[in-house]
Amino acid sequence: MARRKFIAGNWKMNKTAAEGAALVKELKEKLGGCASGCCCSGPDVVVCPPFTTAPAVAAEAKGSCIQVGSQNIHWADNGAFTGELSGAMLKDIPVTYAIIGHSERRQYFGETDDTVNKRTKAALKAGLKPIVCIGELLAEREAGQTNSVCERQARAGLAGLTADDMTTVVVAYEPVWAIGTGKVASNEQAQEVHAFVRSILKDLFGAAVADATRILYGGSMNAANAAGLLAQPDIDGGLIGGASLKAADFAAIVAAAK
Ligand code: PEP
C-alpha cells in the first residue's frame, strides 16, 4: 500500500509568536499552494511550535497545506496539573496533531511508557492525531538492545488502542543518539528498525494496520540526507528538529518527500 509521506517539524522551545508566524509565512511561500502539489500530491506537512506560539502559527497556516501540532498533551480533561494542557485546550488553538513521548520529555520531564500511553489515549479522545515517539539511547544501541527498547516502547505506548484508533496515529522512530547531534542513522540502520517496528505493529494490530501506519524517522534529518532516508521502503517521513527552524531547509526536506 502507498503511504502518503509525512514531514513534521518539532520547533521545541524556539520562536516567539511573531517569529513563528514569520517562519510559517516564509514556508508557505517556499512550498507554494495546492496548485504546486503542496497538499494534493506532496506529503502531509505539520509544524509543532511551543504552546504560546501555536495560535499565531495556526492563524498564519490557516487555508494552507501546513497543519499545526503540539509538542505534548496531558491525559486529564482539567485539574491540578500545573504547566500542562488538555486535549480540549489544544483543540482551542487549534492544533490537529500532538507529539507524544519525545525523548526530551522522557529524559528531562519524567515521561514514561505509561504516561505516553495515557497521553496517546487522551489525544485520540480529544480528536487529535498522536505522533508517538520511540527510540533507543546510545548505550542501548551499543548493548544490542535497539529492537527490544523500541518494541517495549511501541507496545506500551500503543497499549489498548484499536485498529480504528491507529488510522490517525503516526509513529516516530527517533534514535536518541541522533537527535540534535548531527549523527544521523544510516539509511540501512534506520530502515532496519522501521521494518522491525512495522512487524510489531503487525503483531499488535494486523497486517492492514501495519501496512497503513506512517513511521517517521527523526534524528538530524536535513536537506542533504533526507532523500536517502525517505527512499527507504519503511520510512514514511521525518520528524525534524533543528532543520525545521529554517524555512529553506524544511522546504527542501518537504521537496525530498515528494
Ligand atoms: C527531534 O527533536 O525530534 C529531532 C529529530 O531533532 P533534530 O532533527 O534536531 O535531531
Side-chain angles (χ1 to χ4, degrees):
M1 155 181 214
R3 292 177 293 271
R4 187 175 184 186
K5 289 272 195 283
F6 190 107
I7 302 295
N10 173 14
W11 292 3
K12 312 193 187 194
M13 198 173 71
N14 293 293
K15 306 288 180 192
T16 62
E19 290 166 349
L23 175 54
V24 169
K25 189 166 186 285
E26 202 186 337
L27 194 55
K28 283 195 301 190
E29 286 159 11
K30 296 216 178 299
L31 295 181
C34 190
S36 68
C38 172
C39 53
C40 299
S41 60
D44 280 315
V45 179
V46 180
V47 294
C48 302
F51 292 130
T52 53
T53 302
V57 164
E60 184 64 46
K62 198 168 178 192
S64 79
C65 63
I66 301 167
Q67 303 175 79
V68 183
S70 69
Q71 297 174 16
N72 195 11
I73 176 174
H74 197 263
W75 54 85
D77 292 338
N78 48 54
F81 299 103
T82 303
E84 293 282 334
L85 293 179
S86 71
M89 292 166 183
L90 295 172
K91 293 271 289 189
D92 254 359
I93 287 176
V95 304
T96 310
Y97 288 89
I99 296 175
I100 297 171
H102 190 278
S103 66
E104 287 151 16
R105 300 289 319 166
R106 294 180 191 257
Q107 204 175 346
Y108 305 127
F109 301 102
E111 194 81 72
T112 64
D113 292 341
D114 181 50
T115 57
V116 169
N117 183 245
K118 284 156 113 174
R119 293 183 203 277
T120 301
K121 286 175 174 164
L124 291 166
K125 185 177 150 202
L128 295 169
K129 301 176 184 179
I131 302 172
V132 180
C133 302
I134 61 173
E136 83 285 3
L137 303 168
L138 181 58
E140 291 167 336
R141 173 163 281 266
E142 287 175 347
Q145 296 167 347
T146 297
N147 285 2
S148 61
V149 169
C150 291
E151 177 169 3
R152 189 201 76 229
Q153 293 180 345
R155 285 188 186 276
L158 305 175
L161 269 58
T162 64
D164 198 36
D165 290 332
M166 286 301 292
T167 57
T168 62
V169 172
V170 175
V171 175
Y173 166 59
E174 299 204 297
V176 181
W177 48 271
I179 296 180
T181 59
K183 280 187 210 153
V184 66
S186 70
N187 300 338
E188 295 73 25
Q189 281 174 320
Q191 164 57 26
E192 198 181 341
V193 183
H194 279 239
F196 174 73
V197 172
R198 202 174 297 289
S199 76
I200 299 301
L201 296 179
K202 184 175 176 192
D203 190 49
L204 284 170
F205 303 106
V209 169
D211 209 27
T213 303
R214 269 95 58 94
I215 306 177
L216 316 182
Y217 169 80
S220 298
M221 187 185 269
N222 59 34
N225 60 34
L229 287 159
L230 294 169
Q232 303 307 308
D234 287 292
I235 300 184
D236 306 311
L239 180 54
I240 294 118
S244 70
L245 295 172
K246 290 200 176 124
D249 293 353
F250 194 61
I253 297 172
V254 173
K258 277 186 185 163

